[in-house]
Amino acid sequence: MAERNTETETQDTVSGIVDTIIYQNDENGYTVCEIEDTSGEPVTLAGIIPYLTEGDKITALGQWVNHPQYGRQFKVETYEKVLPAEEGDILRYLASGAVKGVGPRTAQRIVDKFGTDSFEVISDHPDWLTDIPGITPKKAADISERFKAMSGARAVMMFCRDFFTPQTAMKIYKRWGGSAVDRIRENPYRLCEEFWGIGFARADQIAMSLGMAPDSDERVLHAAVYVLRSEASRSGHTCLPFAELVRCTLDLLFGDAATPENAETVARAIERGVELLKLIPCTRRDGTKLVFDARYYNAETYAAAKLKEIRRLTPRMSQSDAVRLIEKTEAQSGIVYANAQKQALFAAMNEGVMILTGGPGTGKTTIIKGLISIFTSLDMEVSLAAPTGRAAKRMSEATSHEAKTIHRLLEMDRSDDTEPHFMRDAENPLDADVLIIDEASMIDVLLLESLLRAAKRGVRLILIGDADQLPSVGAGNVLGDIIASGVFTTVRLTEIFRQGNESLIITNAHRINEGQMPILDRRDADFFFLRRTTEEGIRDTVIDLVANRLPRSYGEQIRDRIQILTPSKKGLSGTDTLNPGLQYALNPAAPQKGEHKSRDRVFRVGDRVMQTKNNYQIEWTTAFGDEGAGIYNGDIGVITDYDAEEHIFEVKFDDRVCRLDFEQLDELDHAYAITVHKSQGSEYPVVILPLYDCAPMLLSRNLLYTAVTRAAKMVILVGKEAVLARMVENNRHFVRCTMLEEFLKME
C-alpha cells in the first residue's frame, strides 16, 4: 500500500552537494544523481527525489545496494534537502536551469546584484529583479512563481516524510501542488477521501499530530463518512442503518475502549453531517433508519426517477406492428423464436425499460440480434454497450454489431484520475434511440447514474444480464433491485438452446442454479472434478494442473488460456497463496527478466497481472495505432517489458499497451489466480476452481454458478465434495443495503 512502513531496516546516511543529475523522471520524481559527499568522494543516489537540481544540498537516508548494471548505489528512502547558502553554490543552482527562465547569464547577474539574498529576493520581492537588464515585470513574476512552486514541492516532501513514502508524497504534490501542506493541515482526512492507498488510520495519525482532539466532531464526522465509503467499496452497500453506522464508527475510532459517551458523540456528529448535507437520512418502509453518503443517495434517487421517466415518455408500438416486425425478422434470419423470446422482443418494442435475464445458452444473444434487426429497420439508432472491455468485445463478436464499454460510449474525459467525468451527459446526450446494455449485473449505481444522465428523452433502454450471478464489484445492486421492484417488464429465459450433446458446462450451470449437484462422473466431457481432501493437496493440484498436467495433454499454449478462480483471497488456495506459487512455477526469476518489488510482491516481465482500481488517466495504444486512456478495476494483462533506465513496466491489457511507473504498481495484483468476484463479465477458455473451507458467506450457490459460467471450453473443480455440496445448497445471498428498489416503487 502507499502508507509508510515504519518497520524498516537500519538506515545509513549520506550528505553532500548535488554535482550531476544523471536521470530524472518529471512525472514520478525518480532521480539518479551524483553527489560529492562530506569527504569529497562521489556517491550515486537513486530514488524518489523530485525537483532535485545541481547545487542542492541533500542528506539522504537509505541503504547501499549493488545495481546489476550500474554498480554500487545509495538507494534513497527518505531525504532532507536545503537550498544552497554560499554564493558559489547559489550561482551553480540557478545556472543549472532549475528555475525555468533563468539561464547562466541571468543567474550570474542575479547573484552579482543580490548575493546570498538571491533566493529571498526571487521569492518575496520579484519586482526587484526588474533592475536587472532583460528581466521584465512579467518575466520576474514568472520566475518567482516557478521558484515558489519548487519550494512548495520541497515543503510537501518534507512535511510528508514522517507519514508517507516519497512516491505517495509526490502523488499528493502532483494533484494539490504547492498548497498541499496547507490543505493537509486544514483537513488531513481529505487524504483518505481523495487518494487511493491512503487509509483513515494514516490520515487520522496526521490529524492527531496536528493536535486534533480524539472526540472532536470533525474527526468523528470524517470517520463516519469514511465508514460509509469503505462499506460501499468493500461490501457494496450504498447506505447503512443508523445503528450500524454508529457501531462501525465507534469501532474505527475507539475500539474496545468505546464508552456510551463516545456513542453519543458519534450520533451527534452524524446529525451534524446531515445538517451539512454530507450525509443523507432515509427511512425504509419497515421503519429502519438509514444513512447515505450524499453521492450514493443522489445516484439512487436520480436513477429511480430517470428510469420511471423513460418508462412514462417512451412511445409505445402497436401490437400488430410488433407482430409484423417479429415475423419479418424470423423470415430474414431463418430463426423461429420461442414464446419467451417473442415475449422479450415484444416487450422491448412496447416498453421504455425492459429487462432480459437468463442463464447461459438460453438465447439472450439471439434476442439482441433480433432487436438490432428490428430497430434498425425502423431507422432507429441502436447502441450496444457493456461494463467491461472483454464483455463489449464478446458482444461485438456475437452480434456482428459494434459494442463499446459504457465508459467509452459516454466519452470519458481523462482530465481527473479520481472520478470519471463523461462528455456525454444531460447537456450533451447520446444520439441512441435504443440502448442495449449486456452484462447488466455488473453495473454499479454510480455508473448507472452516469448512463441515465446521458440517455435522451424517448430512448428505449434494454438491460440484459444473468440475475443469478454475483452483483457488481462497485456499490449497489442495480439489476437485482430493478427486477425486484416489479415496476418494469422482466423476461426470464429458461429454455436452453445452446447445448452440445457432449457439453456439461451449460447443463451443470443450470443444475447448480436449480439447487442440484452437478454431474461429476463423466470422463469424456468438459466438466471435471478432482477430489482432494487436504488444503495442501488442493493447492498443489491446482498449481500442477497449470504448470504440468494440462500442458502435457493439450500443449504448452493452453497455459495462457487457463484462469484460476477462487472464492477468497485467504487460505492455502486463496489468491494470496496461489499467486506466489504460480509465479514461481510459471515465471521464475531469471537474469534477463526485469523485476521490481512493490509492497510485499515482486512484479516481473512475463507476469499475468490485474488492475485493482479504475484509473482514468493511464494512456494506452494498440498495434493498429489507436490511442486512448483508462484501465479499469478487473482488467487483466501481461507485463511484456521493463525499462530499467526509466523504471517503467510495459503492460499489455488485451490489445491495449500501457507504460506504468513504479507508483502505479500499487494498483496492480498478480492474476494467475483471481477471486470469482473479480471475474464477472469475463469469459475464459478454461476455468479451474479450488473448493476448500473458507468464510461461509463465500461458499454460496451464486458464487459457484458465476465461476462455472465464466468458462467457455472446460471447467475443472479441485477439492472437497462436501464443500461443493455446501455451495450448491447455500442459496442465501449476501444482502446489500440499498434503496433503489424502494425508490423505484415510490409514486
Side-chain angles (χ1 to χ4, degrees):
M1 297 298 290
E3 295 182 5
R4 186 175 179 78
N5 180 8
T6 56
E7 297 180 4
T8 56
E9 300 175 19
T10 303
Q11 293 178 318
D12 293 319
T13 303
V14 296
S15 298
I17 302 292
V18 177
D19 186 56
T20 306
I21 301 295
I22 300 171
Y23 171 79
Q24 193 162 52
N25 185 319
D26 292 336
E27 288 299 313
N28 60 23
Y30 184 82
T31 302
V32 180
C33 69
E34 190 171 272
I35 70 169
E36 183 179 299
D37 69 11
T38 52
S39 65
E41 293 295 317
V43 175
T44 300
L45 306 184
I48 304 297
I49 323 172
Y51 302 104
L52 192 68
T53 302
E54 293 173 7
D56 273 336
K57 183 176 182 181
I58 185 171
T59 298
L61 284 75
Q63 297 175 10
W64 292 100
V65 298
N66 283 306
H67 192 282
Q69 185 174 350
Y70 302 113
R72 192 166 188 255
Q73 294 182 345
F74 191 80
K75 183 180 178 182
V76 178
E77 295 174 3
T78 62
Y79 67 91
E80 293 181 0
K81 185 172 66 171
V82 296
L83 289 171
E86 302 296 326
E87 279 194 18
D89 293 332
I90 292 172
L91 175 60
R92 184 181 182 188
Y93 178 92
L94 291 175
S96 70
V99 182
K100 192 174 180 181
V102 178
R105 184 178 301 177
T106 302
Q108 185 69 64
R109 289 172 175 171
I110 291 173
V111 174
D112 285 346
K113 185 168 185 64
F114 301 112
T116 56
D117 295 327
S118 295
F119 290 147
E120 182 181 350
V121 170
I122 293 172
S123 176
D124 301 330
H125 306 286
D127 52 308
W128 295 3
L129 295 175
T130 57
D131 292 341
I132 295 173
I135 299 183
T136 64
K138 183 180 184 307
K139 184 174 182 180
D142 289 343
I143 291 171
S144 181
E145 284 301 311
R146 290 165 186 149
F147 180 79
K148 285 189 283 190
M150 295 178 64
S151 300
R154 185 179 299 110
V156 173
M157 301 299 287
M158 294 302 100
F159 180 83
C160 291
R161 64 182 177 175
D162 293 331
F163 305 106
F164 304 117
T165 62
Q167 292 94 326
T168 302
M170 183 66 178
K171 189 188 299 184
I172 294 169
Y173 175 74
K174 292 294 279 188
R175 184 178 301 171
W176 285 349
S179 65
V181 172
D182 291 336
R183 290 194 187 196
I184 295 171
R185 289 185 180 279
E186 180 184 347
N187 180 7
Y189 298 104
R190 289 185 64 181
L191 291 165
C192 62
E193 294 176 2
E194 297 190 28
F195 291 91
W196 170 263
I198 299 179
F200 179 84
R202 190 49 48 109
D204 196 45
Q205 180 186 2
I206 297 174
M208 294 295 98
S209 73
L210 295 174
M212 181 169 288
D215 60 350
S216 72
D217 281 351
E218 185 176 0
R219 178 184 187 234
V220 177
L221 174 56
H222 283 292
V225 171
Y226 177 80
V227 166
L228 285 170
R229 294 184 179 179
S230 177
E231 285 299 302
S233 174
R234 187 174 65 89
S235 303
H237 302 305
T238 59
C239 54
L240 286 177
F242 181 87
E244 180 70 4
L245 178 57
V246 171
R247 185 191 66 78
C248 291
T249 306
L250 275 174
D251 187 58
L252 176 65
L253 293 176
F254 305 106
D256 294 337
T259 66
E261 289 76 16
N262 296 145
E264 291 176 7
T265 300
V266 171
R268 187 171 59 248
I270 293 172
E271 293 298 334
R272 179 168 173 264
V274 170
E275 294 172 3
L276 296 172
L277 302 181
K278 294 191 71 170
L279 304 178
I280 309 294
C282 191
T283 303
R284 276 201 183 123
R285 284 176 297 173
D286 63 7
T288 303
K289 293 183 178 180
L290 303 172
V291 181
F292 278 88
D293 176 79
R295 63 179 172 176
Y296 288 106
Y297 176 83
N298 293 336
E300 288 202 330
T301 52
Y302 178 85
K306 184 63 177 284
L307 285 169
K308 288 187 285 188
E309 177 190 275
I310 292 173
R311 181 191 60 174
R312 188 175 67 252
L313 296 180
T314 302
R316 295 177 178 271
M317 188 178 296
S318 71
Q319 184 166 352
S320 60
D321 285 345
V323 170
R324 178 179 55 81
L325 288 166
I326 291 173
E327 290 175 348
K328 180 181 177 183
T329 302
E330 284 181 317
Q332 290 175 339
S333 64
I335 294 172
V336 177
Y337 296 116
N339 287 335
Q341 292 178 314
K342 288 182 179 178
Q343 181 187 353
L345 292 169
F346 181 79
M349 288 185 278
N350 199 44
E351 301 284 346
V353 178
M354 192 276 280
I355 299 92
L356 178 66
T357 184
T362 56
K364 296 191 296 293
T365 299
T366 300
I367 299 297
I368 297 173
K369 293 162 82 172
L371 291 172
I372 294 171
S373 175
I374 289 170
F375 287 123
T376 53
S377 73
L378 297 172
D379 291 327
M380 299 174 75
E381 181 163 338
V382 179
S383 289
L384 274 56
T388 68
R390 289 192 173 192
K393 184 178 180 180
R394 289 208 324 274
M395 195 180 188
S396 294
E397 292 169 349
T399 63
S400 300
H401 188 95
E402 183 187 20
K404 301 178 179 180
T405 63
I406 297 175
H407 288 82
R408 185 178 165 212
L409 180 72
L410 299 179
E411 299 177 15
M412 187 188 67
D413 176 19
R414 57 182 176 174
S415 61
D416 187 2
D417 66 349
T418 55
E419 295 289 344
H421 173 71
F422 299 109
M423 303 303 291
R424 294 291 190 166
D425 54 19
E427 303 301 319
N428 182 29
L430 295 166
D431 298 323
D433 302 301
V434 181
L435 284 171
I436 302 177
I437 310 297
D438 199 11
E439 295 286 359
S441 63
M442 297 181 62
I443 300 175
D444 62 66
V445 71
L446 297 180
L447 187 57
L448 176 68
E449 178 195 18
S450 296
L451 177 66
L452 292 174
R453 287 189 184 279
K456 71 179 183 181
R457 291 171 68 89
V459 74
R460 279 180 164 80
L461 176 65
I462 300 157
L463 299 175
I464 301 173
D466 191 338
D468 296 311
Q469 290 185 18
L470 295 169
S472 59
V473 174
N477 185 31
V478 166
L479 186 63
D481 282 349
I482 293 174
I483 293 173
S485 73
V487 173
F488 310 102
T489 298
T490 299
V491 178
R492 180 181 286 270
L493 303 177
T494 57
E495 185 178 352
I496 302 173
F497 297 97
R498 176 170 56 88
Q499 180 184 353
N501 292 330
E502 75 286 354
S503 175
L504 274 181
I505 294 176
I506 294 175
T507 298
N508 279 341
H510 286 274
R511 288 178 65 89
I512 290 166
N513 204 29
E514 293 164 2
Q516 302 176 46
M517 282 289 284
I519 298 168
L520 303 175
D521 55 1
R522 278 186 51 186
R523 301 296 180 190
D524 60 340
D526 53 6
F527 195 104
F528 303 96
F529 178 58
L530 303 180
R531 289 175 177 82
R532 297 294 184 270
T533 58
T534 66
E535 302 287 319
E536 293 82 1
I538 297 169
R539 175 200 62 199
D540 294 345
T541 299
V542 168
I543 294 174
D544 187 48
L545 279 168
V546 182
N548 303 304
R549 291 175 61 175
L550 290 175
R552 277 200 304 266
S553 299
Y554 298 97
E556 294 292 321
Q557 72 279 358
I558 198 172
R559 285 200 185 100
D560 295 333
R561 298 163 62 82
I562 299 168
Q563 184 60 60
I564 297 167
L565 306 180
T566 181
S568 174
K569 293 182 179 181
K570 306 301 180 185
L572 290 182
S573 292
T575 57
D576 288 348
T577 300
L578 281 177
N579 274 318
L582 287 159
Q583 183 193 41
Y584 179 80
L586 301 176
N587 191 32
Q592 72 275 16
K593 295 180 184 176
E595 64 177 45
H596 177 74
K597 186 173 183 180
S598 176
R599 292 113 70 202
D600 58 347
R601 61 207 68 187
V602 174
F603 291 96
R604 181 178 299 135
V605 172
D607 277 342
R608 185 186 295 185
V609 293
M610 172 180 276
Q611 180 76 9
T612 61
K613 67 160 288 195
N614 291 336
N615 189 316
Y616 308 103
Q617 286 194 318
I618 295 177
E619 297 180 355
W620 50 260
T621 59
T622 71
F624 303 103
D626 296 328
E627 297 181 351
I631 300 295
Y632 307 116
N633 185 4
D635 284 353
I636 290 178
V638 176
I639 299 176
T640 55
D641 198 9
Y642 172 64
D643 188 323
E645 186 172 317
E646 293 195 28
H647 287 74
I648 296 288
F649 277 112
E650 184 179 275
V651 184
K652 186 175 183 181
F653 292 94
D654 294 327
D655 58 347
R656 299 164 297 164
V657 178
C658 314
R659 289 170 60 81
L660 307 179
D661 61 37
F662 286 173
E663 178 184 309
Q664 291 166 314
L665 294 181
D666 280 354
E667 301 172 5
L668 288 185
D669 271 337
H670 290 106
Y672 298 102
I674 65 175
T675 63
V676 177
H677 284 82
K678 289 286 190 179
S679 73
Q680 295 174 80
S682 296
E683 185 177 80
Y684 313 98
V686 180
V687 165
I688 299 175
L689 176 67
L691 301 172
Y692 60 101
D693 293 300
C694 60
M697 62 180 288
L698 296 173
L699 299 180
S700 66
R701 184 186 302 173
N702 67 336
L703 186 141
L704 176 62
Y705 174 77
T706 300
V708 169
T709 54
R710 297 308 89 206
K713 300 293 185 182
M714 185 187 301
V715 171
I716 304 175
L717 309 181
V718 181
K720 303 178 181 180
E721 194 163 358
V723 171
L724 176 61
R726 203 182 317 156
M727 295 179 81
V728 172
E729 293 167 5
N730 179 14
N731 198 29
R732 291 174 296 180
H733 294 256
F734 178 73
V735 179
R736 292 186 169 187
C737 190
T738 67
M739 277 288 288
L740 180 59
E741 178 187 345
E742 292 206 21
F743 290 146
L744 286 168
K745 290 177 177 178
M746 293 178 184
E747 293 300 330

